[in-house]
Amino acid sequence: MAQTSVSQFAAELKVPPSVLLEQLRAAGVDKKVPEDSLSDTDKSRLLEYLRRAHGSAEAKNKITLTRKQTSEIKKTDATGKYRTVQVEVRKKRVFVKRDPAEVTAAAVAAEAPPPVPAAPAAPTIDAKQVEMREEEARRQQQLAQRQESELREKQERERREAEQKASAETTAPAPAATTLHAPKPATGDARTEKKPKKAKTTTILRDDSVRRRQIKTRGDAGGGVAGWHGRGGSRHRHSSGATSEQPTTFAPPSEPQVRDIPVPETITVGELAHRMSVKAAEVIKVLMKLGSMATINQVLDQETAMIVVEEMGHKAKPAKLDDPEAYLVESDAPTAAEEKPRPPVVTVMGHVDHGKTSLLDFIRTTKVAAGEAGGITQHIGAYHVETPRGVITFLDTPGHEAFTAMRARGAKVTDIVILVVAADDGVMPQTIEAINHAKAADVPLVVALNKIDKHDANPDKVKQELLAHGVVPEEYGGDSPLVPVSAKTGQGVDSLLEQILLQAEVLELKAPVNTPARGVVIEARLDKGRGPVATLLVQAGTLHRGDIVLAGSVHGRVRAMLDENGKPVAAAGPSIPVEVQGLSEVPGAGEDMMVVNDERKAREIALFRQGKFRDVKFAKQHAAKLELFGQMGEGEKKTLNLVIKSDVQGSQEALVHALTRLATDEVKVTVVHAGVGGITESDVNLAMASRAVIIGFNTRADAMARKLAESSGIQIRYYNIIYEAVDEMKAALSGMLAPERKESVIGMVEVRQVFRISKVGTVAGCYVLDGLVKRGAQVRLLRDNVVIHSGEIDSLKRFKDDVREVKAGFECGMSLKNFSDLKEKDQFEVFETVEIARSL
């Protein structure tokens, strides 16, 4: 035992320390104060003194236990009524502790041979010895009775186990051995102190053989599958020889799990809850706290969903709706493949009848191997030619639809633009439009001066007209090569291809080869005999026959793949156009194409995109509103892009001049394209690519252009008076100016009394001196006419009711957000910040 002080020992004995000190002094232990320490020897001396004082110097070696048990017996009397009889049974048992020396002497005497009597003499037997022998005989008899009862119990238990095992073998496989154990008999000399309790067994039904194998009897010391040691023993588990599963325990996480949740443009409440691994009711609760009533199927916008994710302790990251990587679960990051040089992709543009088709036909017939399938090139719209210096891919598309549609989707397909200009005709309206397209896309230009073999060709005049529209030839110090060619005779075609490859070397075009293919849909159609057919331009990786392709909201497996000659090919690398079959539907031109490993995942993404197409369409229309145009980052100029079409050249020039003069240091006007004639589908595509507003001056849009503008959300404004156009554009630019912020003081409040309330904070009892105070307004705390704090009103009450405003002459209670240092005689200056619209 550890040493304790006198006061601690007195507390354990529940006696005053002064009494204990007197008893210790009487026992011969010199302790003066309660703080003195006591050893085990001191406590033993105190115990011997107390025994002698109470007249029992000898140690107790006999214990008498008396038990009383009461039970009730119900019996009927002569009249037939039940009568309850109380039965009381009393038992008395005496336990004697033997001296170890006597036990040893008895054992030696039992083993030694009986002594030979020397002579008959008068036996002198001590009474104490007689009593000890009788007690020993009683103990031996009790031990024999206990062993006999334990043997009977063991035999009975084994008989029951044998019956249960026999019944189990008929209904279930044989259980593993040593599943149930009989109780081991307790050993040791402690038998004389307390009779062991009778083992209680668990009653098991005959047909419950499977569960029976894992039930342990209550009294077993070693039984059961993986039982506890005896009731009084240590509480440590021990493994059994039987093969059994340990019960698994659920350990809750020590800290909350924080996940990165991708949030698309639109998402339902149920889907958001699923991504956060919580119940939908929890998300609805958070939305209700934010003041929004929602159901499990309600669609949330991206901003609201991200706020909910942050409120629930996770990290929200925006995911594009059309981005397949946001929904394809990729376990490992894609490995960086080696990039190799790829052929350039060239688009041919120019005015009608300037020789675009003739030039392409000459290149195709001379540079592509003979034996091609007639008509395939016109349908496929793209092909590649092999030259001594490398491969070139041409996009043979009518007009500029594919070029602008792809750029409007953010897919930069074209690397170089060939601008075909007739040497005898010069720069025409469609030529100017092509120049504007190339400049808006920031794509290098190579000018092909066609029809140079004609007698009325005037190259110098064409160069001057190109200079007027911002195209500077290399011979004039610019960066646009000008190559005289003739599609009829073939003059200068090799030089043109040389210039294209030279531009490609400057651009350093590279792409990975040994990766899953990515590309873009050039054009697509529904063939009567082959079904949906799409022309794909591979931009990165390699497309193989049999790959699973996802193009926008269309998926499918590449069943057949043809080149521009109509011949089947097994694979297509970067910058190679191919015609594929096997898609589920006809994809849209300009859609992004990628190869997916899992067909089921591709189908899910395609169906998801089909369901979200309407939401995306509305989002695009909303983003294309006039007031949202040109919004850029902080500190940068805001730009209003315009596409102007007028009836005559003079009106066009006057309108451009009047609108460009509206620009200021904060906002500017950019005329992406200005032309003469009606508004065409090409103009709408250009407006989509540059996020511009179309202005029609005494002109109208055709049916196709109107339909495309409605579907894409492009605004078309019609005017017939130039001043109306200028005034409306001036109003639009004024709306883009940052508003002027001005403060307006609305009231003065004086603090009369300060209350500090637990769980609420500091509340000021105020009196409105002048004006009024509004909830949600901003205040300045004035102490001795010095501004101490500026902040917002947290709560505004009149008596116990929340109020929106309190006018002069009334009292109110106020508290400020994140500020509690309030004193009497402080003053609150209540003010509002008003935004005043600016104008040009």
Side-chain angles (χ1 to χ4, degrees), residues 192-414:
T192 59
E193 297 180 3
K194 187 176 181 180
K195 185 176 180 179
K197 297 178 69 176
K198 182 178 179 180
K200 297 180 180 180
T201 59
T202 304
T203 305
I204 305 167
L205 298 177
R206 294 294 181 103
D207 57 350
D208 199 7
S209 58
V210 178
R211 188 168 60 88
R212 187 195 65 242
R213 285 177 285 169
Q214 299 195 4
I215 295 179
K216 184 181 76 67
T217 56
R218 186 179 182 88
D220 288 349
V225 178
W228 299 95
H229 284 292
R231 293 180 64 184
S234 62
R235 290 280 182 176
H236 294 290
R237 303 281 271 180
H238 68 89
S239 59
S240 174
T243 60
S244 64
E245 297 181 357
Q246 297 290 340
T248 59
T249 58
F250 172 72
S254 59
E255 57 184 11
Q257 300 291 325
V258 179
R259 299 183 177 88
D260 291 335
I261 309 299
V263 181
E265 293 180 7
T266 57
I267 187 172
T268 62
V269 173
E271 176 64 20
L272 185 63
H274 177 70
R275 294 193 180 193
M276 291 189 291
S277 300
V278 298
K279 294 182 179 180
E282 300 296 328
V283 179
I284 294 174
K285 285 180 183 178
V286 174
L287 286 169
M288 292 175 68
K289 289 180 181 178
L290 296 174
S292 175
M293 302 297 293
T295 61
I296 190 172
N297 295 321
Q298 185 165 336
V299 178
L300 304 176
D301 60 309
Q302 190 178 58
E303 184 178 358
T304 305
M306 292 180 69
I307 293 174
V308 172
V309 171
E310 296 291 342
E311 284 287 331
M312 301 195 72
H314 298 287
K315 295 180 180 179
K317 57 180 182 180
K320 294 181 180 178
L321 190 64
D322 290 334
D323 189 7
E325 286 80 6
Y327 308 101
L328 289 174
V329 180
E330 297 179 0
S331 57
D332 298 328
T335 57
E338 181 184 0
E339 293 190 351
K340 297 181 180 180
R342 64 173 178 85
V345 180
V346 180
T347 298
V348 181
M349 293 185 176
H351 194 67
V352 180
D353 293 335
H354 275 203
K356 298 190 301 293
T357 306
S358 302
L359 182 61
L360 288 172
D361 285 343
F362 184 85
I363 296 173
R364 185 167 55 88
T365 54
T366 56
K367 300 299 179 182
V368 181
E372 61 184 10
I376 295 296
T377 303
Q378 297 174 12
H379 292 295
I380 192 170
Y383 56 90
H384 67 283
V385 299
E386 295 182 2
T387 66
R389 291 192 57 178
V391 179
I392 303 174
T393 299
F394 286 95
L395 294 184
D396 184 9
T397 57
H400 323 292
E401 287 80 1
F403 182 82
T404 52
M406 293 169 197
R407 188 163 52 83
R409 292 184 54 83
K412 185 180 178 183
V413 178
T414 302

Side-chain angles (χ1 to χ4, degrees), residues 620-732:
K620 286 183 178 179
Q621 290 178 354
H622 180 70
K625 296 297 181 183
L626 183 61
E627 60 269 18
L628 296 179
F629 272 100
Q631 290 188 358
M632 304 181 70
E634 291 292 333
E636 298 183 9
K637 280 190 176 182
K638 297 183 178 180
T639 306
L640 177 62
N641 297 324
L642 300 176
V643 174
I644 300 175
K645 296 298 287 288
S646 64
D647 54 347
V648 293
Q649 189 75 21
S651 300
Q652 170 209 319
E653 293 177 357
L655 197 58
V656 170
H657 179 68
L659 293 178
T660 51
R661 288 178 58 189
L662 297 175
T664 64
D665 294 336
E666 293 187 39
V667 293
K668 66 177 182 178
V669 177
T670 300
V671 179
V672 178
H673 171 65
V676 177
I679 300 171
T680 62
E681 192 175 356
S682 177
D683 297 324
V684 178
N685 280 322
L686 182 59
M688 289 170 55
S690 55
R691 298 176 61 85
V693 178
I694 300 175
I695 293 178
F697 190 78
N698 288 329
T699 57
R700 292 294 183 268
D702 57 18
M704 294 297 294
R706 285 198 304 270
K707 185 177 179 181
L708 181 60
E710 289 175 1
S711 62
S712 57
I714 296 298
Q715 292 190 49
I716 301 177
R717 302 294 182 91
Y718 298 115
Y719 304 100
N720 54 9
I721 300 175
I722 191 169
Y723 301 109
E724 292 181 358
V726 173
D727 291 342
E728 192 161 339
M729 291 302 106
K730 187 176 181 180

